[in-house]
Structure formats: C-alpha cells, structure tokens
C-alpha cells in the first residue's frame, strides 16, 4: 500500500511537470540598442505587446538598468494560444520607480502575478515615473477547457484623458466586439465596470448607459473594463484601458491663487493638470489668451501669460519653444491644453509636461526682466518670473553652485542651476546687476542665475571669507549689534568676517 501511494505521488508530480512549463524572457539578452522603442516580443509561443497608452513616451529599452522602461500610462499585454498563463514573476532593474501596476485579470503582488488565462494586460499607473522590467518568468499550463477562446476588440478613438468642464461631465464607452479569432461571436454582449486606480477623494466614477460619469473636482486615473461571461461554446474574456482624469486650470492666475491659499491639494506629490490658457467672464464666455516664453534652458521653459502670471514648464528635452515665442492652445475652432503634473520640487512650483498641445503664434518677441525689490523675491507672484536685481554685493560662496549676495541689509542666494551659465568672473565685494528666474528651495528664496554685470565695488567692507572663527568670541553683525549662534549672514568675530550658515 505504501508503495502504491508513493508511486501515485510521483505520478502526480510527473503529470504536473508535463502540464506546466516555464518560459524565461530576458530582455537583457535580446540585443536591443540603447533607447530602442519596443513594440512586441515573441518567444516560445508567447507574444508580449507594448503600448504607450496615455503617455507620450513609448516603452523603450535602456542600457541604464538594462531593462524596458514602462512609463505611467503604458501597458504590456502577455498572450499565448492554446495554453493558460498561471503565473508571471518579474525581475525589476535597480533605479526604477514605484508606479502601481494593475492587471486585467488575476492578482498582482509585486513581483508576481497569479491567475489563469490566455492573456493578461499590465497597466502602469500614474502620469509620470516609470517601471524597469528586466526579465519575466512565465508559467504555462495545458488547458482542459475545450471551448473556443475569445477576445474583446474595442473600436478605436476612445477617450484616454478627461477634464471635467472642457470635456463635459462624462465620456462615452467605446463599441466592443467579442471575437473568436477574426470572427465576431454571434449574440455576444459585454458588461462594463469602472474603478478608481489613483487620485483624490472626489474621484468616484460611475457608469450610466454607455457613459462613464466623472464628478467635478476629480483628478487621478480610472480603469475601464469590458467583460464577456462566455457560454458552453465560447470562453470568457475581458479587456481594459485606463483614463487619466485631469484637474482643469483655465489660466495661471487660477492655479497660483489656489497654490498661494495652499488649497486641499497634494502639491508635493503632484496634481494631474490640464492647462487651457483662457479667461472666463461672469457668463462663462471663453476668451483665449496668449503666453510669452521668457527663458529656455534645456528642460526648463518659462512662460508669462497675458495676465502677467508666470510658470515653469519642465520636460526632458524641452517642449519645443524658444525665448520670445508667443504661444496658445487655439487650433482653428478648438482650444487645446497642455497636460502634465503640477507639483512642487523642493518648494518650487512647476508643471511637469507630458503632452504639449500649444501652438506657436509668433516668434522673436523682445523679452526683458522686471526689476524687483529683493525683499519680494520669495513672493508667489515672483516665482518663475524673469527678474533683475540691481546693486547686489557679492559676499561669497557658502556651498557648491550657491552664491550669497546682499542688497542693503537683505541677503539672498543666487543659484547656478544651469552649468552653461558661467560664474567664473564673480568677484567678492563687487557690485552687480543680476538677471535670473525667481525660485524657491524649501523655504529659502533664490534667483536662478542667467547673467550678471559688474557695476562697481563695495566700499567699507573687507573681503568675506568662510574660515571658521573662535566659537567663544562674541559675534556681531555688520550693524555692530551682537548676535547669537542662530544668526545667519555676515558675522564679525575677533576682527574677522565670515558667513554664518
């Protein structure tokens, strides 16, 4: 009897091993070039299809991380014919992001998906960030289901981004067809569901008829799923897609007022935003307005609109405009938006652009900086504004790429954000006219330097150094007042000046 049970157990293991197989797909061994766009991969009867989805960036292979990068909004479908996918274990490369990954069927608990189906689609959440997929181990099993496999085909042109107001209060579901191979399944119908993937508390989508209803003040991402229940002849199937829901901003004034009041938004984490650049009157009549590009340096594009409000648009490689360009979202009778993520980066407000739909109206407009009282540098209105500061005395460099200046009794930091802006000719105690962009680092106002011109030399001030002084000696400011260790600025101690930081 014991031998019988032992033999039976061995037979079950043997059968399980025959029915199940593992396929390892290693993207590092495919010979891809750095930056190569990846659309599909086929190996051992498995097809992996990549799609950019709602992101302007397509999935690409990069040597850094030796992995395929899937950006927020991208998707990846894994499919096999005549077998079932029961498990997929991912290997993610170092340096990847933390975007949530959702699956069309089964359960994904990083790094492993479990379920049962001939295909499964993985969607990367968020509008920014990415995941780095280096390797996949896919477990397959033979299917005992003799019914005909099905899939669901969605008509093209369905909405993948939505803003309450400009896009209405709802969006239409696409036409869906249940297919057996290339043939529609007669009489087959689908059931639709919608769920929130991420976003604020107001995002609670519902379905009414063939429409998805989105509440006002919502932003985040929702997943729309079409399901076919199957029958005795045809297998069940499902498919899904994601829709990015944006917080609509008519103009920069609206956005800056909300930021100044510290609204109920996650400014650090970011707010998916569509920026339309229009004015509304009391009757909600729309008037498009222009913006002028005030400065461009690599990924940084600064604009000032017709209401005299300013913003930094950030995107790797820039968004395609130059200083002096006049831009707006008008395209014939349509008004388009810039889409992205509005957030603070170490306290500096910026819009990380994912899709630029603005047009260039003209180029070559003269752009001049605005002279300010340095005590207003930290005002929200001066953040990201093209500024001029006059009669600024250079005191020294307390840290790499940071330079301390003062106007009157007010000290401030000038930051060499762009390394192509040289600071080699700065002279301590020199008097300068500075030009740059208003900025913020945590709670410290800064000027991102663009240019400087020496206009003279300060009098009555010795060379400022950053050498340590005797900590036990009394300290005085430049007005002769004794100060304590909490004082920040130029300090006189034992007859020597230094910068207390």
């Amino acid at each position: 009897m014991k031998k019988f049970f032992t033999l039976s157990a061995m037979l079950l293991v043997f059968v399980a091993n025959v029915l199940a197989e593992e396929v390892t797909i290693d993207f590092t061994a495919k010979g891809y070039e750095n930056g190569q766009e990846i659309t599909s991969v086929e190996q051992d009867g498995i097809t992996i299809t990549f799609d950019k989805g709602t992101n302007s960036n397509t999935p690409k292979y990069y040597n850094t991380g030796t992995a395929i990068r899937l950006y927020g909004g991208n998707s990846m479908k894994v499919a096999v014919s005549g077998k079932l996918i029961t498990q997929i274990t991912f290997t993610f490369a170092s340096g990847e992001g933390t975007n949530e990954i959702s699956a069309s069927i089964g359960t994904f608990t990083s790094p492993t998906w479990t379920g049962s189906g001939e295909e499964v689609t993985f969607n990367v959440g968020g509008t920014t960030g990415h995941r780095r997929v280096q390797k996949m181990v896919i477990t397959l099993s033979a299917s005992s289901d003799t019914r005909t496999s099905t899939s669901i085909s969605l008509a093209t042109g369905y909405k993948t981004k939505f803003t309450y107001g400009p896009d209405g209060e709802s969006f239409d579901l696409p036409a869906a067809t249940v297919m057996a191979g290339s043939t529609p399944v007669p009489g087959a119908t689908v059931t639709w569901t919608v769920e929130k993937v991420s976003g604020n508390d107001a995002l609670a989508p519902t379905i009414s008829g063939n429409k998805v209803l989105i509440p006002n003040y919502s932003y985040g991402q929702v997943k729309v799923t079409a399901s076919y229940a199957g029958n005795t002849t045809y297998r069940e199937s499902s498919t899904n897609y994601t829709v990015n829901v944006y917080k609509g901003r008519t103009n920069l004034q609206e956005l800056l007022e909300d930021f100044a009041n510290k609204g109920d938004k996650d400014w650090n984490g970011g707010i998916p935003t569509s920026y339309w650049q229009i004015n509304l009157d009391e009757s909600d009549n729309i008037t498009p307005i222009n913006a002028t590009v005030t400065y461009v340096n690599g990924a940084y594009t600064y604009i000032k609109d017709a209401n005299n409000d300013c913003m930094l648009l950030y995107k790797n490689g820039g968004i395609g405009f130059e200083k002096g360009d006049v831009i707006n979202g008008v395209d014939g009778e349509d008004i388009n938006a810039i889409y992205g993520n509005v957030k603070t980066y170490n306290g500096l407000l910026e819009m990380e652009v994912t899709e630029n739909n603005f047009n260039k109206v003209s180029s070559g407009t003269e752009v001049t900086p605005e002279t300010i009282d340095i005590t207003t540098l930290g005002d929200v209105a001066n953040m990201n504004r093209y500024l001029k500061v006059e009669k600024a005395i250079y005191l020294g460099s307390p840290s790499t790429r940071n330079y301390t200046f003062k106007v009157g009794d007010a000290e401030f930091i000038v930051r060499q954000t762009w390394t192509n802006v040289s600071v080699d000719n700065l002279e301590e105690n020199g008097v300068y006219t500075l030009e740059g962009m208003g900025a913020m680092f945590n709670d410290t106002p800064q000027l991102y330097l663009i240019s400087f011109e020496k206009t003279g030399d300060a009098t009555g001030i010795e060379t400022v150094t950053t050498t340590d002084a005797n900590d036990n000696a009394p300290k005085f400011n430049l007005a002769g007042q004794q100060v304590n260790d909490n004082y920040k600025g130029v300090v006189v101690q034992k007859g020597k000046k230094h910068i207390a930081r």
Side-chain angles (χ1 to χ4, degrees):
M1 182 64 70
K2 182 177 180 180
K3 290 182 179 180
F4 173 76
F5 280 117
T6 302
L7 181 62
S8 298
M10 293 175 61
L11 182 61
L12 287 174
V13 172
F14 173 77
V15 171
N17 288 334
V18 169
L19 294 179
E21 62 177 300
E22 285 188 354
V23 176
T24 299
I25 299 180
D26 186 353
F27 298 117
T28 68
K30 296 293 183 181
Y32 296 135
E33 296 181 358
N34 187 44
Q36 180 177 337
E37 181 177 328
I38 309 299
T39 56
S40 65
V41 176
E42 293 186 8
Q43 180 181 320
D44 299 326
I46 297 171
T47 300
I48 304 175
T49 306
F50 298 89
D51 192 271
K52 70 176 183 179
T54 58
N55 201 305
S56 57
N57 293 315
T58 57
K60 293 182 177 67
Y61 180 87
Y62 285 99
N63 290 340
T64 303
T66 58
I68 295 177
R69 294 189 188 180
L70 292 166
Y71 298 90
N74 288 175
S75 67
M76 175 180 63
K77 182 171 73 172
V78 184
V80 66
S81 179
K83 298 180 182 180
L84 294 177
I85 306 169
T86 57
Q87 180 173 294
I88 301 175
T89 300
F90 293 86
T91 298
F92 295 106
S94 61
E96 71 144 359
T98 58
N99 298 52
E100 181 181 355
I101 295 178
S102 61
S104 58
I105 62 172
T107 301
F108 178 74
T109 303
S110 186
T112 301
W113 171 87
T114 56
S116 180
E118 291 189 350
E119 66 177 49
V120 53
T121 299
F122 298 94
N123 293 291
V124 180
T127 57
T128 60
H130 64 268
R131 302 299 296 264
R132 299 182 179 184
V133 181
Q134 195 174 67
K135 183 188 299 185
M136 300 166 62
V137 178
I138 302 171
T139 302
L140 305 174
S141 67
S143 175
S144 60
D145 192 341
T146 60
R147 295 178 298 167
T148 302
S149 299
T150 65
S151 62
I152 298 177
S153 174
L154 302 181
T156 60
Y158 53 84
K159 189 174 290 294
T160 58
K161 59 179 183 288
F162 176 85
T163 302
Y164 189 98
D167 291 327
E169 301 176 0
S170 62
F171 57 85
D172 293 335
L173 294 167
T177 305
V178 180
M179 306 290 292
S182 60
T183 304
V185 175
T189 59
V190 301
T191 301
W192 292 94
T193 57
V194 61
E195 61 182 305
K196 169 184 171 181
V197 176
S198 62
N200 67 339
D201 292 340
L203 184 55
T206 56
I207 291 179
S208 178
N210 70 330
K211 294 182 179 294
V212 176
L213 309 181
I214 300 293
N216 197 4
Y217 307 111
S218 296
Y219 58 84
Q221 191 175 71
V222 299
K223 181 171 72 172
V224 182
T225 301
S227 301
Y228 169 58
N231 55 31
T232 56
T233 304
Y234 296 98
R235 294 185 197 172
E236 62 278 358
S237 58
S238 67
T239 190
N240 67 75
Y241 63 97
T242 56
V243 179
N244 289 326
V245 179
Y246 294 89
K247 169 67 177 174
R249 301 290 190 178
T250 58
N251 52 44
L252 296 180
Q253 181 180 39
E254 176 188 327
L255 194 159
L256 293 176
E257 287 178 352
D258 194 14
F259 177 71
N261 295 329
K262 301 299 182 188
D264 59 345
K265 311 295 188 302
D266 183 6
W267 297 102
N268 291 327
I271 304 166
T273 299
S274 57
Y275 159 52
W276 296 82
Q277 194 56 6
I278 57 177
N279 283 337
L280 297 176
D281 62 19
E282 294 180 354
S283 300
D284 286 340
N285 294 316
I286 295 175
T287 303
I289 58 177
N290 294 338
T292 301
V293 178
T294 56
Y295 184 66
V296 177
N297 197 316
Y300 296 74
T301 300
Y302 292 88
I303 63 173
K304 179 173 73 172
D305 70 12
N307 296 328
N308 201 35
D309 295 307
C310 301
M311 178 56 71
L312 165 59
L313 306 177
Y314 183 90
K315 187 177 190 297
N316 286 334
I319 60 174
F321 296 128
E322 298 179 355
K323 181 178 180 179
D325 286 349
V326 176
I327 60 176
N328 64 26
V330 177
D331 183 12
E333 296 182 356
D334 297 326
I335 298 178
N336 297 321
I338 288 177
Y339 293 87
N341 200 34
V342 172
K343 62 179 183 178
T344 51
Y345 182 77
N346 292 326
L348 178 65
L349 187 65
E350 65 180 29
M351 182 173 185
E352 188 173 10
V353 175
T354 56
E355 184 176 347
N356 169 33
N357 293 315
F358 273 17
N359 305 301
K360 181 169 68 174
V361 177
S362 63
S363 59
T365 299
E366 183 180 0
V367 179
T368 57
E370 302 175 45
T371 303
I372 65 160
D373 175 347
I374 195 59
T375 61
T376 67
L377 180 60
D379 293 354
V380 172
N382 283 328
M383 187 182 296
N384 299 317
R385 187 177 297 277
Y386 184 23
L387 302 174
K388 177 189 285 188
V389 181
E390 298 178 329
K391 300 179 180 178
I393 302 172
Y394 175 44
L395 302 180
S397 178
S399 62
T400 303
R401 296 172 68 178
N402 285 338
Y403 303 86
T404 302
F405 285 78
K406 67 175 296 186
V407 175
D409 293 329
E411 294 184 10
F412 63 100
I413 293 294
V414 171
R415 170 78 176 169
Q416 187 195 23
T417 297
W418 304 289
T419 55
N420 62 347
V421 177
S422 175
V423 294
D424 293 342
N425 295 327
L426 280 176
E427 300 176 9
E428 290 184 358
N429 296 328
V431 180
Y432 291 90
T433 295
L434 309 172
E435 292 186 7
M437 309 309 296
M440 184 70 65
F441 181 77
N442 295 329
D443 295 324
T444 302
Q446 294 185 339
L447 186 75
Y448 283 176
L449 186 65
I450 295 175
S451 66
F452 59 88
E453 179 183 2
K454 186 178 180 182
T455 59
D457 291 292
T459 59
I461 299 179
E462 300 174 10
T463 300
V464 178
T465 67
T466 57
T467 57
D468 292 334
N470 187 336
D471 291 339
N472 296 322
K475 301 176 182 179
F476 302 89
N477 62 20
L478 292 179
Q481 300 166 320
Q482 187 168 347
V483 296
N484 59 27
D485 291 340
N486 294 325
Y487 182 81
K488 307 298 182 185
V490 180
V491 171
V492 180
Q493 191 175 34
K494 293 192 70 176
K496 296 182 179 181
K497 294 184 177 69
H498 70 282
I499 296 175
R501 301 186 293 273

